[in-house]
Amino acid sequence: MLFFTFNGVGSNSTSGGLVNRMAQFMFENDVHSLLKLDMPITNAPMARWQRKASASGSASANTSALSPGKSGNRSLSISKTPSKTPGKSGKSQCTPSKAGGDRFIPSRNGKQMDVASFLLAKENEPVDPIPTNDKQKAWSVALNGYDVEEAKILHLGGKPLNAPEGYQNNLKVLYSQVHTPVSTKKSRYISTVPDRILDAPDLRNDFYLNQMDWSSQNLLAVALYNSVYLWNAYQGDITLLATMEREEDYVCSVSWIKEGNFLAIGTSDNKVQLWDVESQKRLRNMSSHSARVCSLSWNSHILSSGSRSGLIHHHDVRVAEHHIGTLLGHSQEVCGLKWSPDGKHLASGGNDNLVNVWAGLQTSFRHKFSDHQGAVKALAWCPWQPNILASGGGTSDRHIRMWNVNTGSCISALDTMSQISSLVFAPNYKELVSGHGYMHNNMVIWKYPAMTQVAELLGHDGRILNLALSPDGNAIASIAADETVRLWNCFEMDPIKKKSKERSGKSPGGIHQGIR
């Protein structure tokens, strides 16, 4: 191919015009050969540059400078190559004057042109209308189960799936629609203020005495020096039940029979009295001990009593010869005495720091625990695990210990940093409540069996001497050296059950009243 050099466009010389026409002819042939398709395109859409040219009305001006030496009256049908690069504005670009011919045009094969034609045709197709809000909402509900536009952040949609039948996972079941058998409440409110305060004047500040007990008929018995008073938790009435004959004598212990119609009273003159509460009469005055009786516990018709002498006596209250057995196991005062719920074991704690477990009415003890370093007055059997015994030590020990009486082993030991005077299991939430003397004078609720602290109840100005649980298990009473009895509603379970209980009796009076 020959390249010609020319000085300008539109020369008047004959040789210059011939050269320009030959160059133009060769250029157009090259362009047609490059744009030639294998087969004709029918119904092809108008190219974008053609649409723009027709819209602007400047097609003739733009195509006048297609190549060097083109005449002004050249027809547009000769070439369809645009004079400007698409997407750019400015003056038309002329071919440079140096040798090399026109601008560079890359070569394209047939497949590339087919693709380009398809894209051009696709561009001119009508665009699908944007879905309406109703369609978007329908799609969102179908895909997510809820409308995304209306959902909150971290929204959980739909119900949890049930595991397939027979599905088991070694790492526990990971998903379930059924609630766990434990209470559905994650936590509960425990008031740190007592629901009721009762005055208890002339209360003896003696760690070894057991001066309060709560009956199954909702009567609270409290020993105030030489008298025993009954407080009706339903009506708030107070009744003087018994008074010692001699002024120097005093009441050491009280204990209700399971049915709640008889009350046993241990006295400082070594006697055990049996009272009929309904008729307010003393039925028996049983003598067998040689020292004061500071602990009592019932097992059906058998009443067990512990004395300062270290002896434990069994009394059959149905017969005239009531003394039917004696247990020898303590060298000092027996200040704690509890029968297990199933009646198979009797636990005794003494000032000699021992905890003895007796098998029924047998005279030989089954276990002797000597781990405590202080007097053991606080004893409690677990209502839902009759083989579990909790014991608490005095000022020199301060530990709560859990025992398995079947194996004779200590399950756990917890240092409470305070003297332990009483222990009570609360079955509603499977918890243990401890009453403390020096140094804290408080009550603590523990989660069993983890023994993690649930709540601490403060309010007493003196050391707590005894605790007693209400018959429905909803409340607990504490009596302390500050001569007050405080009632705490800490274990209320269900409001529906509470209303049914309130219908059965009258609601109590004010928050503060005296027992006497």
Side-chain angles (χ1 to χ4, degrees), residues 137 140-151 155-158:
K137 183 176 181 180
S140 177
V141 173
L143 293 175
N144 304 310
Y146 57 92
D147 187 6
V148 177
E149 297 297 331
E150 298 179 357
H155 175 78
L156 297 177

Side-chain angles (χ1 to χ4, degrees), residues 203 209-214 220-223 252-256 338 422 464-469 476-480 484-487 515:
L203 177 72
L209 304 185
N210 293 274
Q211 304 173 84
M212 184 176 65
D213 196 18
W214 209 329
L220 186 67
V222 180
C252 301
S253 57
V254 291
S255 179
W256 289 98
K338 292 290 181 181
S422 187
I464 295 177
L465 300 173
N466 293 105
L467 299 178
L469 188 69
I476 192 167
S478 59
I479 188 170
T484 63
V485 177
R486 299 172 186 255
L487 284 81
I515 292 181

Side-chain angles (χ1 to χ4, degrees), residues 159-170:
K159 296 180 179 180
L161 300 176
N162 285 325
E165 185 177 358
Y167 173 80
Q168 292 183 350
N169 192 328
N170 295 331

Side-chain angles (χ1 to χ4, degrees), residues 28 32 49-50 53 58-66 70-81 83:
E28 292 179 355
H32 282 295
W49 68 272
Q50 290 178 337
S58 58
S60 60
N62 292 336
T63 56
S64 62
L66 285 174
K70 182 178 178 183
S71 59
N73 56 358
R74 186 73 177 172
S75 175
L76 288 174
S77 61
I78 298 176
S79 175
K80 292 182 169 51
T81 304
S83 61

Side-chain angles (χ1 to χ4, degrees), residues 191-501:
S191 176
T192 57
V193 178
D195 183 69
R196 184 179 300 278
I197 301 175
L198 305 175
D199 289 329
D202 298 331
L203 177 72
R204 289 185 64 88
N205 185 8
D206 191 333
F207 172 80
Y208 301 99
L209 304 185
N210 293 274
Q211 304 173 84
M212 184 176 65
D213 196 18
W214 209 329
S215 76
S216 59
Q217 296 184 7
N218 215 7
L219 294 177
L220 186 67
V222 180
L224 300 180
Y225 193 69
N226 63 351
S227 301
V228 176
Y229 292 86
L230 303 181
W231 177 72
N232 190 321
Y234 286 133
Q235 303 174 358
D237 298 336
I238 298 173
T239 304
L240 174 60
L241 178 67
T243 301
M244 301 291 295
E245 295 178 356
R246 297 186 303 175
E247 187 176 354
E248 63 270 19
D249 292 333
Y250 56 90
V251 178
C252 301
S253 57
V254 291
S255 179
W256 289 98
I257 196 171
K258 182 179 180 181
E259 292 74 17
N261 53 346
F262 297 113
L263 178 67
I265 300 174
T267 63
S268 61
D269 62 351
N270 315 334
K271 302 291 194 303
V272 176
Q273 300 180 7
L274 184 62
W275 284 78
D276 184 346
V277 176
E278 185 176 356
S279 61
Q280 298 183 15
K281 292 182 179 180
R282 187 178 69 181
L283 301 179
R284 305 197 66 168
N285 190 23
M286 298 176 286
S287 301
S288 60
H289 287 288
S290 59
R292 70 176 187 177
V293 181
C294 53
S295 58
L296 296 168
S297 184
W298 286 89
N299 182 12
S300 185
H301 56 273
I302 302 298
L303 175 63
S304 300
S305 57
S307 172
R308 175 176 275 183
S309 63
L311 300 180
I312 300 173
H313 290 178
H314 294 312
H315 309 271
D316 189 343
V317 297
R318 302 171 301 176
V319 297
E321 298 296 329
H322 55 86
H323 185 202
I324 60 174
T326 301
L327 303 179
L328 304 173
H330 293 278
S331 59
Q332 296 187 41
E333 186 168 22
V334 180
C335 50
L337 204 60
K338 292 290 181 181
W339 277 98
S340 62
D342 56 7
K344 295 181 179 180
H345 298 95
L346 174 66
S348 60
N351 195 30
D352 54 3
N353 308 341
L354 294 178
V355 177
N356 293 331
V357 178
W358 313 82
L361 298 178
Q362 297 180 12
T363 56
S364 60
F365 49 80
R366 182 172 180 179
H367 300 292
K368 179 186 286 288
F369 302 129
S370 58
D371 295 36
H372 287 288
Q373 303 301 315
V376 182
K377 173 192 175 185
L379 295 172
W381 290 94
C382 181
W384 58 92
Q385 287 182 296
N387 62 314
I388 300 300
L389 173 67
S391 60
T395 308
S396 302
D397 183 73
R398 306 171 301 181
H399 280 73
I400 297 177
R401 302 184 188 273
M402 295 291 178
W403 309 93
N404 187 332
V405 298
N406 289 342
T407 61
S409 60
C410 181
I411 301 174
S412 63
L414 175 67
D415 188 358
T416 64
M417 306 300 295
S418 185
Q419 177 190 52
I420 304 170
S421 58
S422 187
L423 291 172
V424 173
F425 275 99
N428 286 357
Y429 287 92
K430 293 189 175 181
E431 294 168 339
L432 178 67
V433 186
S434 57
H436 299 274
Y438 307 121
M439 299 283 298
H440 298 151
N441 301 332
N442 63 345
M443 290 170 54
V444 180
I445 302 176
W446 310 90
K447 189 64 179 177
Y448 177 83
M451 296 304 293
T452 56
Q453 182 172 321
V454 177
E456 181 183 14
L457 305 180
L458 301 171
H460 284 291
D461 296 330
R463 63 176 178 177
I464 295 177
L465 300 173
N466 293 105
L467 299 178
L469 188 69
S470 64
D472 58 4
N474 291 342
I476 192 167
S478 59
I479 188 170
D482 59 2
E483 297 186 344
T484 63
V485 177
R486 299 172 186 255
L487 284 81
W488 315 77
N489 286 331
C490 302
F491 313 103
E492 211 163 354
M493 287 288 292
D494 192 350
I496 298 178
K497 294 182 180 179
K498 178 183 177 182
K499 290 181 180 179
S500 63
K501 293 288 185 181

